[in-house]
Amino acid sequence: MHKNWKKTMVLLLLAALAAMSFLAGCSNNSSNGSEPNAEGSKEGTSSQQDDQTKHEISVSIYDRGNVPVEEGTIENNRWTKWLVENSGVDTTFVAIPRNNPAEKLNTLFASGAAPDLIFEFNAAIRNQLYNQKQLMPLDDLIAQHSTEYKEFLEKYPIIKKLTTKSDGKMYEFGRISGLNHNVVLMVRADWLENLNLKAPQTTEQFFEVAKAFTEDDPDRNGKDDTFGMALSFASGMVVDQMFGSYHEASSDSTWVIENGKLIRQWNRIKAAMAFEKRLYEAGTVDKDFVADKNGDKSKQDFITGKLGMIGMVGGAGAAGLQAYETLKQNDPAAKVIIIPLPESEFGSFTANVTPPVQTTGIVNARAKDPVGVMKYVDALVKTDTQHTLAYGFEGTHWNQGTNGCPAVIDEAKNKQELSWNMDFTMLSSPGLDECSSFKNKLDPNDPLEQEFIGLIEAAEEAYISPERPIPLFTHQVYFPAMPEDIELIRKSAEPNMFGNIYTKAVIGGSKYSVDQAMEDMQTAWKEAGGAKVDEWFDNWYQENKETAVLTEDIYELNEALKQ
């Protein structure tokens, strides 16, 4: 039954993609609206409304602190004004700190001041609000008051599948994002050449390369001033994922299907922890890695020639290009490669990837104008709206490039006016727009950008392959919504297990062994009621394995999206 469902879903997606093929040729999207004038209105047009009702809603927007002062604030700027005019909905934008959205949202819901429409990437936050009955079911709203989004659902039924909760109703809005690499393992290729080494293909080879990069003067400067690998932030995740483990700062999602059951894979966790301890005790990593919470120190070490291997968020995207440019400025002879994660005894896996389909929007159950919310959502999913938010205005921000995609006219102008608006696009579907690829935004005639295109292609081959899948039973964003008592057990136990015990084992030397750490972890899990979580996960799997989107389905869906 599961296989039949998958085949049916792929066929539906292929048919849908054929119907939507006009999206791929973004060079044809020239009718994107006019540039907003000084007041933010849309020159020469008026918003087309299905009715004359005045709609007033509030919408959340992440605050990353990156809006130029001259452009206003994240709640009031050229794009908020354009969206109000373009949608015909009087919209108030509510800033949510990107680094801690849960705290702000919880406060707003508790006070009755939560926005009507909320955009949130974190599935755990959305699931919690669903469990608390804070969300509005969307089936009737879409059926009775939507045009654009309703058509989108009909063409991509996978969206409805992923946004339907256990009560059989839809509670989220979704988009087609495409399966893309997010974290990559970057290696100094010139250091490999200097030491006559090959890129590591196994975890044992990885350890030997890290050791050589630390001890054998890979940059040939005659100084003992290099480290082989980082363990902070994304680099630590990369090492975990080599072993099929998915440990983050204070939680772990290493749930895998084994012998027909869904279980927490303690063996993978133990192997990853032991390997990190081995790297640490061999001196191949910075002893102060625990203090490097967001990985900034390790990235600085990499671009200044002090670090040989790093796991980097966006390493094959804009962040990676910036780091690569800086590295080449510091050392023009530097060479970098992006490699697949080395194979462990548990197999070959990928690092973090973005899911091919994302659910990003939810509606407050107490929204006073649900029809206005739907009208705003319909405006967001229009092709012209998506194109304008992504590229700006033709003749102002872009002209048609030789590859048929928008070519930036003035980088500085776009940085000032456009680069910070990405969180207004959380219902855009970049997976349907070939021009949204970062690779298509680079100039192959620029030698450095041509080199980086090669790195992007290496990342695509290394990380977007069913031969090296994500190391979980499904992508984290597709995890089921857990009942509050189950989620509470996880939240109470895992920070101690994976924030304290795990780290203590890695840096604790002979005073705190991996075996002792595993015993302490499992005891903490048992005492917190972890057996209930284990039972719940497996029961969910047994009841939903024929219809749930599992890891193998993600890759089939991605192949369908490429047709």
PDB file of all heavy atoms in Angstrom, residues 182-210:
ATOM      1  N   ASN A 182      22.025  22.304   2.933  1.00  0.00           N
ATOM      2  CA  ASN A 182      22.014  23.419   3.875  1.00  0.00           C
ATOM      3  C   ASN A 182      23.351  23.522   4.604  1.00  0.00           C
ATOM      4  O   ASN A 182      23.889  24.615   4.784  1.00  0.00           O
ATOM      5  CB  ASN A 182      20.880  23.251   4.879  1.00  0.00           C
ATOM      6  CG  ASN A 182      20.750  24.422   5.828  1.00  0.00           C
ATOM      7  OD1 ASN A 182      21.062  25.551   5.482  1.00  0.00           O
ATOM      8  ND2 ASN A 182      20.295  24.156   7.041  1.00  0.00           N
ATOM      9  N   VAL A 183      23.886  22.384   5.035  1.00  0.00           N
ATOM     10  CA  VAL A 183      25.198  22.329   5.688  1.00  0.00           C
ATOM     11  C   VAL A 183      26.104  21.440   4.847  1.00  0.00           C
ATOM     12  O   VAL A 183      25.680  20.384   4.372  1.00  0.00           O
ATOM     13  CB  VAL A 183      25.086  21.763   7.113  1.00  0.00           C
ATOM     14  CG1 VAL A 183      26.466  21.575   7.738  1.00  0.00           C
ATOM     15  CG2 VAL A 183      24.240  22.683   7.986  1.00  0.00           C
ATOM     16  N   VAL A 184      27.345  21.871   4.654  1.00  0.00           N
ATOM     17  CA  VAL A 184      28.297  21.078   3.866  1.00  0.00           C
ATOM     18  C   VAL A 184      29.610  20.958   4.621  1.00  0.00           C
ATOM     19  O   VAL A 184      29.918  21.766   5.507  1.00  0.00           O
ATOM     20  CB  VAL A 184      28.562  21.699   2.476  1.00  0.00           C
ATOM     21  CG1 VAL A 184      27.270  21.811   1.673  1.00  0.00           C
ATOM     22  CG2 VAL A 184      29.235  23.070   2.597  1.00  0.00           C
ATOM     23  N   LEU A 185      30.374  19.936   4.267  1.00  0.00           N
ATOM     24  CA  LEU A 185      31.712  19.730   4.840  1.00  0.00           C
ATOM     25  C   LEU A 185      32.742  20.268   3.850  1.00  0.00           C
ATOM     26  O   LEU A 185      32.912  19.738   2.750  1.00  0.00           O
ATOM     27  CB  LEU A 185      31.947  18.244   5.100  1.00  0.00           C
ATOM     28  CG  LEU A 185      33.333  17.844   5.619  1.00  0.00           C
ATOM     29  CD1 LEU A 185      33.680  18.585   6.908  1.00  0.00           C
ATOM     30  CD2 LEU A 185      33.405  16.332   5.839  1.00  0.00           C
ATOM     31  N   MET A 186      33.425  21.350   4.248  1.00  0.00           N
ATOM     32  CA  MET A 186      34.444  21.987   3.404  1.00  0.00           C
ATOM     33  C   MET A 186      35.830  21.572   3.904  1.00  0.00           C
ATOM     34  O   MET A 186      36.078  21.518   5.108  1.00  0.00           O
ATOM     35  CB  MET A 186      34.302  23.513   3.447  1.00  0.00           C
ATOM     36  CG  MET A 186      32.929  24.016   3.079  1.00  0.00           C
ATOM     37  SD  MET A 186      32.810  25.829   3.001  1.00  0.00           S
ATOM     38  CE  MET A 186      33.433  26.139   1.355  1.00  0.00           C
ATOM     39  N   VAL A 187      36.730  21.297   2.951  1.00  0.00           N
ATOM     40  CA  VAL A 187      38.065  20.802   3.260  1.00  0.00           C
ATOM     41  C   VAL A 187      39.099  21.592   2.465  1.00  0.00           C
ATOM     42  O   VAL A 187      38.886  21.889   1.280  1.00  0.00           O
ATOM     43  CB  VAL A 187      38.187  19.297   2.911  1.00  0.00           C
ATOM     44  CG1 VAL A 187      39.564  18.769   3.256  1.00  0.00           C
ATOM     45  CG2 VAL A 187      37.103  18.489   3.629  1.00  0.00           C
ATOM     46  N   ARG A 188      40.213  21.901   3.111  1.00  0.00           N
ATOM     47  CA  ARG A 188      41.313  22.573   2.418  1.00  0.00           C
ATOM     48  C   ARG A 188      42.034  21.568   1.513  1.00  0.00           C
ATOM     49  O   ARG A 188      42.810  20.719   1.970  1.00  0.00           O
ATOM     50  CB  ARG A 188      42.290  23.167   3.436  1.00  0.00           C
ATOM     51  CG  ARG A 188      41.796  24.434   4.104  1.00  0.00           C
ATOM     52  CD  ARG A 188      41.728  25.617   3.148  1.00  0.00           C
ATOM     53  NE  ARG A 188      43.028  25.994   2.635  1.00  0.00           N
ATOM     54  CZ  ARG A 188      43.813  26.928   3.178  1.00  0.00           C
ATOM     55  NH1 ARG A 188      43.437  27.558   4.276  1.00  0.00           N
ATOM     56  NH2 ARG A 188      44.975  27.218   2.622  1.00  0.00           N
ATOM     57  N   ALA A 189      41.780  21.673   0.209  1.00  0.00           N
ATOM     58  CA  ALA A 189      42.370  20.740  -0.753  1.00  0.00           C
ATOM     59  C   ALA A 189      43.868  20.949  -0.889  1.00  0.00           C
ATOM     60  O   ALA A 189      44.624  19.982  -1.121  1.00  0.00           O
ATOM     61  CB  ALA A 189      41.694  20.906  -2.110  1.00  0.00           C
ATOM     62  N   ASP A 190      44.341  22.200  -0.750  1.00  0.00           N
ATOM     63  CA  ASP A 190      45.783  22.444  -0.863  1.00  0.00           C
ATOM     64  C   ASP A 190      46.529  21.823   0.310  1.00  0.00           C
ATOM     65  O   ASP A 190      47.671  21.371   0.153  1.00  0.00           O
ATOM     66  CB  ASP A 190      46.081  23.946  -0.976  1.00  0.00           C
ATOM     67  CG  ASP A 190      45.442  24.762   0.141  1.00  0.00           C
ATOM     68  OD1 ASP A 190      44.321  24.419   0.568  1.00  0.00           O
ATOM     69  OD2 ASP A 190      46.059  25.750   0.588  1.00  0.00           O
ATOM     70  N   TRP A 191      45.902  21.744   1.469  1.00  0.00           N
ATOM     71  CA  TRP A 191      46.530  21.070   2.601  1.00  0.00           C
ATOM     72  C   TRP A 191      46.639  19.564   2.338  1.00  0.00           C
ATOM     73  O   TRP A 191      47.639  18.940   2.683  1.00  0.00           O
ATOM     74  CB  TRP A 191      45.728  21.308   3.878  1.00  0.00           C
ATOM     75  CG  TRP A 191      45.835  22.721   4.419  1.00  0.00           C
ATOM     76  CD1 TRP A 191      46.312  23.826   3.768  1.00  0.00           C
ATOM     77  CD2 TRP A 191      45.449  23.158   5.719  1.00  0.00           C
ATOM     78  NE1 TRP A 191      46.241  24.932   4.587  1.00  0.00           N
ATOM     79  CE2 TRP A 191      45.713  24.552   5.798  1.00  0.00           C
ATOM     80  CE3 TRP A 191      44.901  22.524   6.825  1.00  0.00           C
ATOM     81  CZ2 TRP A 191      45.450  25.311   6.936  1.00  0.00           C
ATOM     82  CZ3 TRP A 191      44.628  23.275   7.969  1.00  0.00           C
ATOM     83  CH2 TRP A 191      44.903  24.654   8.029  1.00  0.00           C
ATOM     84  N   LEU A 192      45.594  19.005   1.746  1.00  0.00           N
ATOM     85  CA  LEU A 192      45.665  17.587   1.371  1.00  0.00           C
ATOM     86  C   LEU A 192      46.835  17.349   0.421  1.00  0.00           C
ATOM     87  O   LEU A 192      47.605  16.393   0.571  1.00  0.00           O
ATOM     88  CB  LEU A 192      44.360  17.143   0.711  1.00  0.00           C
ATOM     89  CG  LEU A 192      43.114  17.045   1.590  1.00  0.00           C
ATOM     90  CD1 LEU A 192      41.886  16.771   0.728  1.00  0.00           C
ATOM     91  CD2 LEU A 192      43.267  15.959   2.648  1.00  0.00           C
ATOM     92  N   GLU A 193      46.979  18.238  -0.566  1.00  0.00           N
ATOM     93  CA  GLU A 193      48.070  18.101  -1.536  1.00  0.00           C
ATOM     94  C   GLU A 193      49.428  18.234  -0.851  1.00  0.00           C
ATOM     95  O   GLU A 193      50.354  17.453  -1.133  1.00  0.00           O
ATOM     96  CB  GLU A 193      47.917  19.160  -2.632  1.00  0.00           C
ATOM     97  CG  GLU A 193      46.698  18.956  -3.519  1.00  0.00           C
ATOM     98  CD  GLU A 193      46.475  20.123  -4.470  1.00  0.00           C
ATOM     99  OE1 GLU A 193      47.318  21.056  -4.483  1.00  0.00           O
ATOM    100  OE2 GLU A 193      45.466  20.109  -5.197  1.00  0.00           O
ATOM    101  N   ASN A 194      49.548  19.209   0.034  1.00  0.00           N
ATOM    102  CA  ASN A 194      50.832  19.424   0.726  1.00  0.00           C
ATOM    103  C   ASN A 194      51.256  18.201   1.534  1.00  0.00           C
ATOM    104  O   ASN A 194      52.460  17.930   1.681  1.00  0.00           O
ATOM    105  CB  ASN A 194      50.737  20.634   1.655  1.00  0.00           C
ATOM    106  CG  ASN A 194      50.689  21.948   0.903  1.00  0.00           C
ATOM    107  OD1 ASN A 194      51.009  22.008  -0.288  1.00  0.00           O
ATOM    108  ND2 ASN A 194      50.279  23.010   1.576  1.00  0.00           N
ATOM    109  N   LEU A 195      50.274  17.468   2.062  1.00  0.00           N
ATOM    110  CA  LEU A 195      50.575  16.308   2.912  1.00  0.00           C
ATOM    111  C   LEU A 195      50.428  14.983   2.162  1.00  0.00           C
ATOM    112  O   LEU A 195      50.534  13.917   2.771  1.00  0.00           O
ATOM    113  CB  LEU A 195      49.655  16.317   4.139  1.00  0.00           C
ATOM    114  CG  LEU A 195      49.771  17.544   5.057  1.00  0.00           C
ATOM    115  CD1 LEU A 195      48.762  17.450   6.192  1.00  0.00           C
ATOM    116  CD2 LEU A 195      51.176  17.686   5.608  1.00  0.00           C
ATOM    117  N   ASN A 196      50.180  15.093   0.847  1.00  0.00           N
ATOM    118  CA  ASN A 196      50.026  13.897   0.012  1.00  0.00           C
ATOM    119  C   ASN A 196      48.923  12.986   0.550  1.00  0.00           C
ATOM    120  O   ASN A 196      49.075  11.760   0.649  1.00  0.00           O
ATOM    121  CB  ASN A 196      51.345  13.119  -0.072  1.00  0.00           C
ATOM    122  CG  ASN A 196      51.358  12.107  -1.210  1.00  0.00           C
ATOM    123  OD1 ASN A 196      50.678  12.299  -2.229  1.00  0.00           O
ATOM    124  ND2 ASN A 196      52.103  11.036  -1.060  1.00  0.00           N
ATOM    125  N   LEU A 197      47.787  13.610   0.880  1.00  0.00           N
ATOM    126  CA  LEU A 197      46.632  12.881   1.402  1.00  0.00           C
ATOM    127  C   LEU A 197      45.459  12.982   0.435  1.00  0.00           C
ATOM    128  O   LEU A 197      45.381  13.905  -0.382  1.00  0.00           O
ATOM    129  CB  LEU A 197      46.201  13.463   2.757  1.00  0.00           C
ATOM    130  CG  LEU A 197      47.194  13.353   3.907  1.00  0.00           C
ATOM    131  CD1 LEU A 197      46.703  14.181   5.098  1.00  0.00           C
ATOM    132  CD2 LEU A 197      47.372  11.896   4.315  1.00  0.00           C
ATOM    133  N   LYS A 198      44.565  12.037   0.541  1.00  0.00           N
ATOM    134  CA  LYS A 198      43.334  12.064  -0.242  1.00  0.00           C
ATOM    135  C   LYS A 198      42.174  12.514   0.643  1.00  0.00           C
ATOM    136  O   LYS A 198      42.232  12.405   1.878  1.00  0.00           O
ATOM    137  CB  LYS A 198      43.038  10.678  -0.814  1.00  0.00           C
ATOM    138  CG  LYS A 198      44.058  10.205  -1.838  1.00  0.00           C
ATOM    139  CD  LYS A 198      43.674   8.830  -2.379  1.00  0.00           C
ATOM    140  CE  LYS A 198      44.701   8.352  -3.412  1.00  0.00           C
ATOM    141  NZ  LYS A 198      44.344   6.997  -3.943  1.00  0.00           N
ATOM    142  N   ALA A 199      41.126  13.011   0.014  1.00  0.00           N
ATOM    143  CA  ALA A 199      39.942  13.401   0.769  1.00  0.00           C
ATOM    144  C   ALA A 199      39.401  12.179   1.502  1.00  0.00           C
ATOM    145  O   ALA A 199      39.287  11.098   0.918  1.00  0.00           O
ATOM    146  CB  ALA A 199      38.877  13.971  -0.163  1.00  0.00           C
ATOM    147  N   PRO A 200      39.051  12.310   2.773  1.00  0.00           N
ATOM    148  CA  PRO A 200      38.601  11.155   3.557  1.00  0.00           C
ATOM    149  C   PRO A 200      37.256  10.614   3.071  1.00  0.00           C
ATOM    150  O   PRO A 200      36.325  11.386   2.820  1.00  0.00           O
ATOM    151  CB  PRO A 200      38.485  11.708   4.977  1.00  0.00           C
ATOM    152  CG  PRO A 200      38.281  13.179   4.793  1.00  0.00           C
ATOM    153  CD  PRO A 200      39.066  13.557   3.576  1.00  0.00           C
ATOM    154  N   GLN A 201      37.173   9.298   2.956  1.00  0.00           N
ATOM    155  CA  GLN A 201      35.932   8.649   2.544  1.00  0.00           C
ATOM    156  C   GLN A 201      35.288   7.867   3.685  1.00  0.00           C
ATOM    157  O   GLN A 201      34.138   7.455   3.573  1.00  0.00           O
ATOM    158  CB  GLN A 201      36.200   7.715   1.360  1.00  0.00           C
ATOM    159  CG  GLN A 201      36.682   8.451   0.114  1.00  0.00           C
ATOM    160  CD  GLN A 201      36.913   7.515  -1.053  1.00  0.00           C
ATOM    161  OE1 GLN A 201      36.828   6.294  -0.920  1.00  0.00           O
ATOM    162  NE2 GLN A 201      37.191   8.083  -2.216  1.00  0.00           N
ATOM    163  N   THR A 202      36.032   7.623   4.753  1.00  0.00           N
ATOM    164  CA  THR A 202      35.504   6.930   5.923  1.00  0.00           C
ATOM    165  C   THR A 202      35.801   7.767   7.156  1.00  0.00           C
ATOM    166  O   THR A 202      36.650   8.671   7.134  1.00  0.00           O
ATOM    167  CB  THR A 202      36.150   5.543   6.091  1.00  0.00           C
ATOM    168  OG1 THR A 202      37.543   5.720   6.421  1.00  0.00           O
ATOM    169  CG2 THR A 202      36.017   4.712   4.817  1.00  0.00           C
ATOM    170  N   THR A 203      35.137   7.450   8.249  1.00  0.00           N
ATOM    171  CA  THR A 203      35.371   8.205   9.481  1.00  0.00           C
ATOM    172  C   THR A 203      36.786   7.983  10.006  1.00  0.00           C
ATOM    173  O   THR A 203      37.389   8.905  10.586  1.00  0.00           O
ATOM    174  CB  THR A 203      34.346   7.812  10.556  1.00  0.00           C
ATOM    175  OG1 THR A 203      34.310   6.387  10.703  1.00  0.00           O
ATOM    176  CG2 THR A 203      32.963   8.303  10.185  1.00  0.00           C
ATOM    177  N   GLU A 204      37.346   6.800   9.788  1.00  0.00           N
ATOM    178  CA  GLU A 204      38.722   6.554  10.227  1.00  0.00           C
ATOM    179  C   GLU A 204      39.694   7.411   9.422  1.00  0.00           C
ATOM    180  O   GLU A 204      40.636   8.006   9.970  1.00  0.00           O
ATOM    181  CB  GLU A 204      39.070   5.078  10.096  1.00  0.00           C
ATOM    182  CG  GLU A 204      40.415   4.702  10.711  1.00  0.00           C
ATOM    183  CD  GLU A 204      40.511   5.032  12.190  1.00  0.00           C
ATOM    184  OE1 GLU A 204      39.487   4.915  12.907  1.00  0.00           O
ATOM    185  OE2 GLU A 204      41.601   5.433  12.650  1.00  0.00           O
ATOM    186  N   GLN A 205      39.480   7.497   8.113  1.00  0.00           N
ATOM    187  CA  GLN A 205      40.314   8.362   7.284  1.00  0.00           C
ATOM    188  C   GLN A 205      40.124   9.822   7.684  1.00  0.00           C
ATOM    189  O   GLN A 205      41.080  10.611   7.675  1.00  0.00           O
ATOM    190  CB  GLN A 205      39.958   8.168   5.811  1.00  0.00           C
ATOM    191  CG  GLN A 205      40.352   6.820   5.244  1.00  0.00           C
ATOM    192  CD  GLN A 205      39.813   6.596   3.844  1.00  0.00           C
ATOM    193  OE1 GLN A 205      39.162   7.466   3.259  1.00  0.00           O
ATOM    194  NE2 GLN A 205      40.084   5.411   3.289  1.00  0.00           N
ATOM    195  N   PHE A 206      38.907  10.182   8.046  1.00  0.00           N
ATOM    196  CA  PHE A 206      38.634  11.546   8.497  1.00  0.00           C
ATOM    197  C   PHE A 206      39.465  11.875   9.734  1.00  0.00           C
ATOM    198  O   PHE A 206      40.056  12.959   9.830  1.00  0.00           O
ATOM    199  CB  PHE A 206      37.144  11.693   8.810  1.00  0.00           C
ATOM    200  CG  PHE A 206      36.730  13.062   9.274  1.00  0.00           C
ATOM    201  CD1 PHE A 206      36.365  14.035   8.369  1.00  0.00           C
ATOM    202  CD2 PHE A 206      36.710  13.381  10.631  1.00  0.00           C
ATOM    203  CE1 PHE A 206      35.985  15.303   8.794  1.00  0.00           C
ATOM    204  CE2 PHE A 206      36.337  14.641  11.068  1.00  0.00           C
ATOM    205  CZ  PHE A 206      35.969  15.599  10.142  1.00  0.00           C
ATOM    206  N   PHE A 207      39.511  10.952  10.679  1.00  0.00           N
ATOM    207  CA  PHE A 207      40.312  11.174  11.881  1.00  0.00           C
ATOM    208  C   PHE A 207      41.785  11.360  11.526  1.00  0.00           C
ATOM    209  O   PHE A 207      42.451  12.262  12.057  1.00  0.00           O
ATOM    210  CB  PHE A 207      40.155   9.998  12.850  1.00  0.00           C
ATOM    211  CG  PHE A 207      41.003  10.133  14.088  1.00  0.00           C
ATOM    212  CD1 PHE A 207      40.570  10.900  15.153  1.00  0.00           C
ATOM    213  CD2 PHE A 207      42.245   9.518  14.170  1.00  0.00           C
ATOM    214  CE1 PHE A 207      41.357  11.054  16.299  1.00  0.00           C
ATOM    215  CE2 PHE A 207      43.039   9.659  15.298  1.00  0.00           C
ATOM    216  CZ  PHE A 207      42.595  10.431  16.369  1.00  0.00           C
ATOM    217  N   GLU A 208      42.301  10.531  10.626  1.00  0.00           N
ATOM    218  CA  GLU A 208      43.718  10.621  10.250  1.00  0.00           C
ATOM    219  C   GLU A 208      44.021  11.945   9.550  1.00  0.00           C
ATOM    220  O   GLU A 208      45.070  12.551   9.785  1.00  0.00           O
ATOM    221  CB  GLU A 208      44.096   9.436   9.350  1.00  0.00           C
ATOM    222  CG  GLU A 208      44.048   8.083  10.040  1.00  0.00           C
ATOM    223  CD  GLU A 208      44.975   8.004  11.253  1.00  0.00           C
ATOM    224  OE1 GLU A 208      46.038   8.668  11.242  1.00  0.00           O
ATOM    225  OE2 GLU A 208      44.616   7.315  12.226  1.00  0.00           O
ATOM    226  N   VAL A 209      43.089  12.422   8.715  1.00  0.00           N
ATOM    227  CA  VAL A 209      43.290  13.716   8.052  1.00  0.00           C
ATOM    228  C   VAL A 209      43.248  14.843   9.079  1.00  0.00           C
ATOM    229  O   VAL A 209      44.083  15.761   9.051  1.00  0.00           O
ATOM    230  CB  VAL A 209      42.234  13.937   6.951  1.00  0.00           C
ATOM    231  CG1 VAL A 209      42.262  15.384   6.456  1.00  0.00           C
ATOM    232  CG2 VAL A 209      42.475  12.989   5.781  1.00  0.00           C
ATOM    233  N   ALA A 210      42.275  14.795   9.994  1.00  0.00           N
ATOM    234  CA  ALA A 210      42.189  15.824  11.039  1.00  0.00           C
ATOM    235  C   ALA A 210      43.473  15.866  11.859  1.00  0.00           C
ATOM    236  O   ALA A 210      43.977  16.951  12.212  1.00  0.00           O
ATOM    237  CB  ALA A 210      40.989  15.556  11.943  1.00  0.00           C
TER     238      ALA A 210
END
